[in-house]
Amino acid sequence: MRDKRKKVCFVVCLFVLWAHLFSAPVLADMVATVVWVFDGDTIKLSNGARVRYAGVNTPEVAHDGQPAQPLADEACLLNRRLTRGRQVRIQIDKEKYDQYGRLLAYVFLPDGTFVNSALVEKGLAMVYTTPPNVRYDQDLLTLQRRAMRERVGLWASADPGKEPFYIGNTRSRRFHSPSCHLGQKTGRRNKVIYRNRLEAFYDGLSPCKKCNP
């Protein structure tokens, strides 16, 4: 009986250790030089890694025959001015890569400047929270709300939208048009109804990429 208890205790301890290792945030930092800036939220490092800024989203630059979105070039220029040719510290959250294999990271300059937040503060990036990477979501949202109140950058002429309402999902941190099947599937517990897009942005939600409300 005693041997059996020891065996059970050993298995439980292994399970607890495994759960801790695989659920704890990965926050190891690395330092590298930025050798290329693709757009407002994507860079390439001297070690070959492509980095997509976590927690934010900037307008799309011109690509594949599509014109640049408003202020995309300005966001890219600011990102280039801050980072290109400079050494940066890369901080990783719980989820390390996006669907394209890019490193998801928070980027810091040697003087402590948080590049992700600098873009939000200037109104050149929107908060784009993607759980489980939520380490700085409240800090970024505070800056976005200030930019919205001061009507800077993207918020100078932000479109409130034409739908009668929008469906927010507090779990996915996205909002949808009323006809979006993803929005319609949102559970009551996570559903919030917004009168316009700006209310959803102020709460830190981002547009669904399927219905693009």
Side-chain angles (χ1 to χ4, degrees), residues 103-115:
L103 197 63
L104 291 169
Y106 308 110
V107 180
F108 297 86
L109 300 180
D111 65 2
T113 298
F114 183 15
V115 179

Side-chain angles (χ1 to χ4, degrees), residues 1-20:
M1 180 63 73
R2 182 176 297 176
D3 290 341
K4 185 176 181 180
R5 286 180 179 176
K6 286 183 177 180
K7 185 175 181 180
V8 170
C9 182
F10 178 72
V11 171
V12 170
C13 289
L14 280 179
F15 177 80
V16 171
L17 178 61
W18 178 89
H20 174 75

Side-chain angles (χ1 to χ4, degrees), residues 46-173:
S46 53
N47 60 12
R50 287 195 177 198
V51 175
R52 170 64 165 83
Y53 295 174
V56 302
N57 189 42
T58 60
E60 295 288 336
V61 296
H63 68 285
D64 299 329
Q66 297 297 316
Q69 294 179 337
L71 297 183
D73 292 336
E74 288 83 350
C76 184
L77 285 171
L78 176 59
N79 192 21
R80 185 178 296 133
R81 181 172 62 81
L82 288 172
T83 65
R84 189 172 179 181
R86 301 188 66 182
Q87 194 175 73
V88 294
R89 177 168 59 89
I90 303 298
Q91 188 180 83
I92 308 302
D93 208 333
K94 290 184 177 181
E95 194 167 83
K96 194 171 183 180
Y97 297 101
D98 71 1
Q99 59 183 321
Y100 305 108
R102 297 175 300 186
L103 197 63
L104 291 169
Y106 308 110
V107 180
F108 297 86
L109 300 180
D111 65 2
T113 298
F114 183 15
V115 179
N116 307 48
S117 69
L119 289 156
V120 174
E121 186 175 18
K122 296 294 185 181
L124 296 175
M126 294 179 177
V127 169
Y128 191 75
T129 301
T130 306
N133 291 353
V134 297
R135 181 172 174 82
Y136 295 105
D137 62 334
Q138 288 305 309
D139 296 330
L140 294 169
L141 181 55
T142 296
L143 291 172
Q144 175 164 290
R145 286 174 172 171
R146 183 194 303 164
M148 292 179 74
R149 289 193 298 268
E150 296 176 356
R151 300 179 65 83
V152 298
L154 295 165
W155 309 110
S157 56
D159 181 11
K162 297 180 176 136
E163 300 285 0
F165 65 91
Y166 295 87
I167 303 170
N169 186 326
T170 58
R171 183 176 182 181
S172 68
R173 308 301 295 165

Side-chain angles (χ1 to χ4, degrees), residues 176-186 210-211:
H176 313 262
S177 64
S179 60
C180 179
H181 73 282
L182 293 176
Q184 293 171 356
K185 288 167 56 177
T186 304
K210 295 291 185 182
C211 65

